[in-house]
Amino acid sequence: MQTGDRIHHMDNLRALAMLAGVVFHAALAYSPLMHPIWPLADAGHSILVDVVAWFLHLFRMPLFFVVAGFFAALLVARRGMAGLFRNRGVRVLLPLLLFLPLVLISMHWLTMQAVANVAHPSPALVWMRDWIEQHGALPSLPGWAHLWFLFYLLLFTVLVWVASALGLRRLGERIATLSPLALVLLFPLPLGVALAGTTAPWPAPEFVLPSLWAMAFFGLYFALGCQMFQQPRMLDHMRPFSWLLLIGAAMAYAVLFRLTDGFALTRPTTFRHAMHAALEAYAGLWMTLWCMLAGKRWLQQRNATMRWLADASYWTYLVHLPLLFAIQYRLLDVQLHWAAKFAVAVLVTFAVSLASYQLLVRHTVAGRLLNGNPAKMQQLD
Amino acid sequence: MNGFGTNWFASDAAMVGKLIVKDWQVYQKQLAGFVAGLLLALGLVGMGTPLLAAAGALLLLVLLLVVGSYAIQSSVMLERKEQTQPFVMSLPVTPMDVFWGKLLANLVIFLVPFLLVTGGLLALLLTTPRPDGAVPWVVVVALFMLAQFCVSLCVVIAVDSEGWNVFAMLALMTLIGPFLYWVTWMPGIREHLQGDAIVWSRQVLGLIGGELAVIAIAILIAGVVHARKTSFL
């Protein structure tokens, strides 16, 4: 890889992982599993949503963290540790500090409006209405919302320095030299141990303090991404297993879905919980690796539309949840099939976020903050 | 260049910066280990179960104590003991440059985990249903830990005796338990600990003022002693 080359498939994979978040969060409103707790939960829902959405959930953020780890290693190689910290400070810390208050305030305001005005409220909205009637206000539980991944990226940036100072690179190199078969069979084991520390499917670690399971789980994916940069042929060695990974992931997920009764099983025995965690880990890792292989095969070439979408994806991810709140709270009172509401929510959210990116962000200071210097980016293209 | 008439400030700020970077680089491996331990402890607290949270909180406190005493032991005491300190004589620096270099390097090394721990605990209190009234208590205890570290560091810088340094460190560490008990039951703090209001009572402000004064006095005395030295050693 030459210095200055743009790695298109990684950029595109990151964009797709972020844009998939919009689809996933929109789908939660029509998920039977989330119906009792999600404030946007619609009366119309389908098991089909759970089957598809939770499958996407297993590898969407892991894929993002693999890509993030890859780019972190690339930054260290090109600009050194100080360069990595400078870059993460501008691209991660600053957007987190700027957008988190806006996101939290807007979502809280939209929810309060919904509590007051929605005629067909979700069970969570009904609960909030009752609570406010009794106590005057909702209990304050601020966290990172959907921006938790930025907080974890910052933690992993610190851990990159820790790993470098402690000389852990050699350990990663040793693991990377394992045969591809051993890697795809053994790597999910520590992932499963991490997932055993939480419920299935794993929740978003939105709590203000880092959760140990999330640090270990996403950290392992991040470390895998770092190793993929250090050992560029690592992924190529897995190519012969590509379709096996996809089929294996689908089968592991099917067994998991069946065993957990669509994730509705709330109090499994310790053994069954461990088995669920292992199945989640295998399905998630294998799908993530398949996505990496597919990305390298089909998303490698330069493409102006994908380039633009990759640039727009960060902004879209930052603003999509308040937009979904605004749209889906209104849709609660609209008489339509859930699939139509889902399509409207996704399409309008994409349309507003992408249009606002082009009109308000791309050529402004915000665009430079999220995507970097446009002249430099063009040079890399 | 002796006593109170001496130039108290460093003669070359850039050189002091280099001395700080030198200490940072020498001890960054150990510091990285401590930071990893602190993240582990914060992660344990973040798991939310009472047992793991208690284990995490204890680990935070222990690591903070260890990181402070380790930095002091290795960057000042060990340099004297192993006689690697005289290398500074080959540099174009004054004794006060070395004083500020050592003081600031150790503060930087300690403040990274200190801010991580204190910030984490304050964030935990302020953003969860736990009573916010404990915020002043956390600030008072955190500043006590900082003061304890600063006094230990200043004693080590000022006193050329390993025995006295170890005694001072142990004595100060022994004070942590009684101090925790004392401030927890102190009027002006005790009655607000379980409440949601953050009350900066007269006692809390007095303690914070006292702790900041102790830090300033320790640095002042160590500076005076160091400025009186006629040589580096």
Side-chain angles (χ1 to χ4, degrees):
Chain A
M1 190 179 310
Q2 287 168 0
T3 304
D5 280 351
R6 187 141 204 138
I7 302 152
H8 296 288
H9 71 282
M10 283 294 188
D11 269 341
N12 295 335
L13 278 171
R14 179 173 52 188
L16 290 177
M18 286 185 136
L19 297 178
V22 179
V23 180
F24 172 71
H25 287 138
L28 293 182
Y30 316 103
S31 150
L33 181 67
M34 293 297 282
H35 191 78
I37 52 170
W38 188 239
L40 302 164
D42 195 273
H45 45 71
S46 164
I47 187 79
L48 181 68
V49 174
D50 272 349
V51 172
V52 177
W54 296 110
F55 184 56
L56 186 64
H57 174 70
L58 287 189
F59 63 90
R60 181 180 63 85
M61 288 315 289
L63 176 63
F64 174 84
F65 277 102
V66 172
V67 176
F70 181 92
F71 281 121
L74 180 143
L75 274 170
V76 173
R78 286 186 183 170
R79 301 184 196 173
M81 199 60 75
L84 172 74
F85 273 85
R86 267 197 300 274
N87 180 282
R88 298 294 89 171
V90 175
R91 294 290 168 72
V92 179
L93 180 60
L94 210 51
L96 178 64
L97 295 176
L98 289 174
F99 283 97
L100 185 66
L102 297 175
V103 162
L104 291 177
I105 290 167
S106 59
M107 292 201 305
H108 180 77
W109 184 80
L110 287 163
T111 301
M112 288 302 100
Q113 292 297 310
V115 166
N117 302 318
V118 168
H120 301 91
S122 62
L125 281 182
V126 171
W127 178 85
M128 287 182 205
R129 206 171 270 180
D130 291 347
W131 183 278
I132 291 170
E133 267 175 28
Q134 285 175 25
H135 301 91
L138 283 178
S140 163
L141 271 173
W144 301 108
H146 62 298
L147 304 188
W148 61 266
F149 73 104
L150 295 177
F151 172 61
Y152 278 84
L153 278 182
L154 292 172
L155 288 178
F156 296 150
T157 304
V158 174
L159 286 174
V160 166
W161 166 71
V162 168
S164 159
L166 295 178
L168 297 182
R169 188 174 160 172
R170 261 179 265 163
L171 180 71
E173 282 168 358
R174 272 198 169 181
I175 293 169
T177 54
L178 287 173
S179 75
L181 192 63
L183 205 65
V184 296
L185 289 177
L186 295 179
F187 195 75
L189 295 178
L191 290 171
V193 172
L195 286 176
T198 187
T199 52
W202 51 264
E206 296 174 346
F207 185 47
V208 74
L209 284 181
S211 287
L212 200 56
W213 75 264
M215 278 204 288
F217 180 65
F218 296 113
L220 282 164
Y221 275 111
F222 189 89
L224 181 68
C226 290
Q227 276 312 309
M228 281 185 180
F229 175 78
Q230 309 290 354
Q231 319 279 338
R233 296 181 64 87
M234 186 178 163
L235 200 58
D236 295 328
H237 289 148
M238 291 179 194
R239 187 160 296 287
F241 307 107
S242 175
W243 290 106
L244 279 177
L245 288 171
L246 181 63
I247 295 163
M251 284 173 64
Y253 177 69
V255 174
L256 174 69
F257 202 81
R258 178 77 189 82
L259 281 180
T260 55
D261 198 14
F263 297 110
L265 188 63
T266 48
R267 289 186 182 277
T269 60
T270 308
F271 174 73
R272 285 196 74 170
H273 180 61
M275 198 158 66
H276 298 163
L279 284 166
E280 262 191 295
Y282 276 99
L285 178 80
W286 289 348
M287 261 320 284
T288 305
L289 290 174
W290 183 81
C291 288
M292 300 292 297
L293 288 163
K296 200 164 182 187
R297 184 164 187 177
W298 291 308
L299 299 172
Q300 180 73 293
Q301 67 280 17
R302 207 173 77 178
N303 176 308
T305 311
M306 279 306 292
R307 172 85 243 118
W308 183 86
L309 213 54
D311 287 346
S313 62
Y314 194 0
W315 166 257
T316 303
Y317 198 82
L318 289 175
V319 299
H320 82 280
L321 207 54
L323 282 173
L324 276 176
F325 270 51
I327 297 160
Q328 290 187 317
Y329 276 139
R330 282 175 188 273
L331 286 174
L332 287 178
D333 288 338
V334 176
Q335 293 297 314
L336 266 178
H337 189 266
W338 69 263
K341 288 187 186 182
F342 177 46
V344 167
V346 171
L347 290 174
V348 175
T349 303
F350 271 132
V352 175
S353 345
L354 296 177
S356 60
Y357 172 72
Q358 180 61 31
L359 297 171
L360 306 172
V361 176
R362 188 166 175 79
H363 304 292
T364 63
V365 181
R368 287 171 74 100
L369 178 72
L370 300 179
N371 303 132
N373 187 336
K376 266 189 189 171
M377 293 297 117
Q378 222 158 20
Q379 232 175 13
L380 287 178
D381 274 340
Chain B
M1 290 255 296
N2 288 336
F4 293 103
T6 59
N7 184 6
W8 248 77
F9 298 101
S11 68
D12 185 350
M15 185 55 74
V16 173
K18 282 178 185 166
L19 289 171
I20 294 169
V21 171
K22 184 271 294 176
D23 272 349
W24 172 267
Q25 285 176 344
V26 168
Y27 301 108
Q28 73 164 326
K29 193 171 180 175
Q30 288 80 358
L31 188 65
F34 287 122
V35 170
L38 289 168
L39 286 179
L40 170 73
L42 281 175
L44 284 171
V45 177
M47 291 294 278
T49 64
L51 184 67
L52 290 179
L58 186 65
L59 186 58
L60 282 178
L61 193 69
V62 170
L63 281 169
L64 205 54
L65 278 173
V66 172
V67 74
S69 59
Y70 179 83
I72 294 170
Q73 287 266 7
S74 48
S75 74
V76 188
M77 282 168 76
L78 214 63
E79 280 190 5
R80 274 187 202 153
K81 208 171 165 184
E82 293 184 353
Q83 300 187 336
T84 50
Q85 197 189 26
F87 97 96
V88 291
M89 287 192 287
S90 62
L91 300 173
V93 291
T94 64
M96 286 315 284
D97 290 342
V98 177
F99 168 74
W100 286 113
K102 281 287 167 213
L103 187 77
L104 295 176
N106 274 280
L107 276 175
V108 168
I109 289 171
F110 183 72
L111 282 177
V112 172
F114 174 81
L115 291 175
L116 198 65
V117 171
T118 310
L121 287 175
L122 289 176
L124 183 71
L125 285 177
L126 292 171
T127 59
T128 62
R130 287 165 198 269
D132 291 357
V135 164
W137 182 88
V138 169
V139 172
V140 165
V141 172
L143 277 176
F144 181 79
M145 300 291 287
L146 184 62
Q148 185 255 356
F149 170 77
C150 287
V151 174
S152 295
L153 175 63
C154 289
V155 169
V156 170
I157 290 175
V159 180
D160 281 325
S161 157
E162 193 184 355
W164 278 112
N165 290 329
V166 170
F167 173 77
M169 247 186 240
L170 286 176
L172 288 164
M173 280 185 190
T174 314
L175 286 179
I176 293 171
F179 181 81
L180 282 174
Y181 181 84
W182 182 55
V183 293
T184 305
W185 291 99
M186 179 183 271
I189 295 180
R190 182 188 61 208
E191 60 269 35
H192 305 299
L193 273 175
Q194 296 302 320
D196 272 331
I198 301 173
V199 181
W200 299 101
S201 64
R202 198 164 43 81
Q203 290 87 343
V204 169
L205 293 177
L207 280 169
I208 291 173
E211 287 164 338
L212 293 175
V214 167
I215 293 171
I217 290 167
I219 293 172
L220 193 73
I221 292 174
V224 168
V225 173
H226 208 82
R228 284 168 175 267
K229 285 186 179 174
T230 50
S231 73
F232 285 101
L233 304 175

